Amino acid sequence: SGKIITIHYPFSKSIEIAFQETLDKSKLIFTGFMKMITGAIGLENVSGPVTIMKVTSDASHYGFEAVLMLMALISVNLGILNLLPIPALDGGHIMFNLYELVVKKEVNENVMINLTIAGWIFLGGLMILGFYNDITRLVSG
């Protein structure tokens, strides 16, 4: 309905609810990402900074709480994506560390460099796709 209601909880209950909401949103983001990888969701749904600004502007019409909720969702999204096993991200470093822990030797430096470069290329392509989709949406109206 577009109505926003405020519910006041005791501090301990609010922590519990915040934790559960973060968990639920994390699952939703991870599921969406997996659907994008499998092709169930098209790459046209990848957005960039223009869409983020538009959504933030739209949220601001509903009040400060809506903007805070959006900021929290974006933060959780960035946290989840940062943990993906892409070598240029923290998840990639975790992957290298787990490899070293299991194999008991360091990752070959050239392999690590090449995988990190590949990760940056992938992330750059993702950013370009987000910008492209934003521009396409702006042009098509």
Side-chain angles (χ1 to χ4, degrees), residues 17-95:
I17 291 171
F19 181 79
Q20 188 58 49
E21 281 293 313
T22 302
L23 209 63
D24 292 345
K25 298 305 183 254
S26 297
K27 289 177 188 175
L28 182 67
I29 291 164
F30 186 75
T31 301
F33 189 75
M34 293 308 294
K35 285 182 178 182
M36 204 169 288
I37 288 174
T38 61
I41 296 176
L43 293 178
E44 68 276 358
N45 292 301
V46 174
S47 297
V50 175
T51 300
I52 291 171
M53 286 178 18
K54 166 119 178 53
V55 171
T56 303
S57 172
D58 293 346
S60 71
H61 295 293
Y62 292 100
F64 187 66
E65 292 89 358
V67 174
L68 285 178
M69 291 294 288
L70 178 62
M71 287 172 46
L73 182 62
I74 291 171
S75 294
V76 171
N77 192 349
L78 288 173
I80 296 295
L81 294 178
N82 192 39
L83 289 174
L84 292 175
I86 299 170
L89 300 174
D90 289 339
H93 292 288
I94 293 170
M95 182 180 61

Side-chain angles (χ1 to χ4, degrees), residues 121-141:
I121 291 170
F122 173 75
L123 292 171
L126 202 57
M127 285 190 274
I128 290 168
L129 177 63
F131 274 115
Y132 172 80
N133 286 344
D134 283 349
I135 291 167
T136 302
R137 284 186 205 105
L138 282 174
V139 170
S140 66

